[in-house]
């Protein structure tokens, strides 16, 4: 199915955009983590959003979700991994499906991607991936490293243990339920090394016991799966222009790429619900004008 507007992010900006898009009768899809994992969901009290006096962040999100869905917006609970511009549309790869949209609205929040690792950008697509269940079959019988930064990391690591010769797993806290065949490293990824053909190794810092001094280990691997809750916008779309770490937009929420818009915390301060909601609406007005 070809959507008129694909919205990446299910926070206030993305939901506001979806509500307005459906009011303009545009086929709309939101790609988002579950609302319970949105940073706003952890807010115990929101007092500065007009018309919603003293509510929890989760209540506010649920109300917006319900309104968007009742108006006909579709919601896909998945991680957006990449955006590929085509001739008259965009292809969006997610952790669950590949979808197409005539326009893209990025509303993924300010910290969805997290800090990049040394070598990550250089070897993206050449041994570095953000989805084990998507790209795992390319590494059948190989040795891989799973960098566990999301709740789904253990599940994806267990999938890789079924098809790979060796699976390493590194995380600050090793989760329960990991396959016994997986080699566990309590620590963090430091850097990614490789050559002209792609990834060859990973440098990890390990501290197996809290009182121990960290040690540095060089792991020979063919692939590295960095499993974050979300992917940074510039990793999804490398030509996207940023400024001081935020997506650069004009007053109409246009990015530097035709047909791609952005709204909310990913565009910079102030990081407030009311600002995100307003920008989401403006971005959709611009997308509708672009669609003609």
């Amino acid at each position: 199915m070809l959507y008129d507007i694909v919205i990446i992010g299910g926070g206030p900006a993305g939901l506001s955009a979806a509500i307005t898009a459906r009011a303009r009768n545009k086929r709309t899809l939101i790609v988002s983590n579950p609302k319970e994992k949105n940073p706003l969901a952890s807010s115990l009290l929101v007092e500065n959003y007009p018309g919603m006096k003293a509510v929890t962040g989760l209540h506010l999100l649920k109300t917006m979700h319900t309104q968007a869905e009742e108006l006909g917006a579709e919601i896909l609970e998945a991680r957006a991994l990449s955006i590929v511009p085509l001739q008259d549309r965009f292809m969006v790869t997610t952790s669950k499906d590949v979808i197409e949209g005539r326009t893209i609205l990025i509303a993924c929040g300010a910290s969805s991607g997290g800090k990049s690792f040394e070598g990550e950008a250089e070897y993206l697509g050449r041994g570095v991936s953000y989805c084990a269940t998507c790209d795992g079959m390319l590494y059948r019988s190989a040795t891989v490293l799973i960098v566990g930064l999301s709740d789904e990391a253990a599940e994806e690591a267990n999938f890789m243990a079924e098809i790979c010769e060796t699976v390493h797993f590194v995380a600050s806290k090793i989760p329960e339920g990991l396959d016994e065949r997986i080699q566990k490293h309590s620590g963090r990824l430091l850097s990614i090394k490789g050559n002209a053909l792609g990834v060859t190794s990973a440098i990890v810092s390990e501290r197996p016991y809290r009182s121990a001094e960290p040690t540095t280990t060089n792991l020979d691997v063919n692939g590295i799966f960095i499993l974050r809750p979300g992917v940074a916008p510039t990793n999804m779309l490398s030509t996207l222009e940023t400024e001081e770490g935020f997506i650069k937009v004009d007053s109409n929420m246009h990015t530097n790429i035709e047909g791609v818009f952005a709204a909310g915390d990913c565009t910079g301060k102030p990081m407030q619900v009311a600002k995100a909601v307003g920008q989401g609406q403006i971005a959709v007005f611009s997308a509708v004008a672009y669609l003609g």
Side-chain angles (χ1 to χ4, degrees), residues 13-112:
L15 293 167
S16 169
I19 290 166
T20 302
R22 288 302 302 147
R24 298 299 185 276
N25 201 33
K26 299 303 179 186
R27 184 171 292 168
T28 305
L29 175 70
I30 301 170
V31 180
S32 172
N33 288 325
K35 53 183 170 292
E36 292 79 8
K37 295 182 180 180
N38 188 285
L40 180 61
S42 62
S43 297
L44 298 179
L45 189 63
V46 178
E47 295 183 293
N48 61 351
Y49 186 68
M52 299 286 283
K53 183 180 179 181
V55 297
T56 66
L58 183 57
H59 175 80
L60 187 57
L61 283 170
K62 286 181 176 179
T63 302
M64 292 180 176
H65 265 264
T66 299
Q67 186 175 357
E69 289 183 299
E70 287 179 349
L71 287 170
E74 297 179 42
I75 298 177
L76 173 65
E77 289 192 353
R79 286 180 294 136
L81 303 172
S82 67
I83 302 168
V84 179
L86 303 176
Q87 186 173 2
D88 61 347
R89 64 191 64 186
F90 297 87
M91 182 175 70
V92 181
T93 302
T94 77
S95 56
K96 291 185 178 178
D97 205 352
V98 177
I99 53 185
E100 292 186 339
R102 297 172 63 196
T103 62
I104 302 293
L105 200 167
I106 301 174
C108 58
S111 58
S112 62

Side-chain angles (χ1 to χ4, degrees), residues 233-245:
T234 50
N235 287 340
M236 287 190 283
L237 186 57
S238 62
T239 55
L240 192 64
E241 188 175 348
T242 60
E243 189 172 60
E244 298 182 356

Side-chain angles (χ1 to χ4, degrees), residues 118-186:
E118 179 185 337
E120 177 181 343
E122 181 180 357
Y123 294 104
L124 183 61
R126 296 193 300 127
V128 172
S129 173
Y130 298 129
C131 180
T133 52
C134 305
D135 299 328
M137 297 306 292
L138 299 174
Y139 297 89
R140 180 181 290 275
S141 302
T143 298
V144 302
L145 170 66
I146 306 293
V147 183
L149 301 173
S150 71
D151 293 341
E152 295 79 17
E155 180 181 348
E156 296 202 37
N158 289 342
F159 165 75
M160 295 302 289
E162 296 290 334
I163 63 174
C164 292
E165 179 177 341
T166 304
V167 175
H168 297 276
F169 186 98
V170 62
S172 58
K173 182 180 179 181
I174 302 299
E176 296 181 358
L178 280 178
D179 191 293
E180 62 182 11
R181 292 169 291 184
I182 295 173
Q183 298 186 26
K184 305 168 185 66
H185 306 270
S186 180

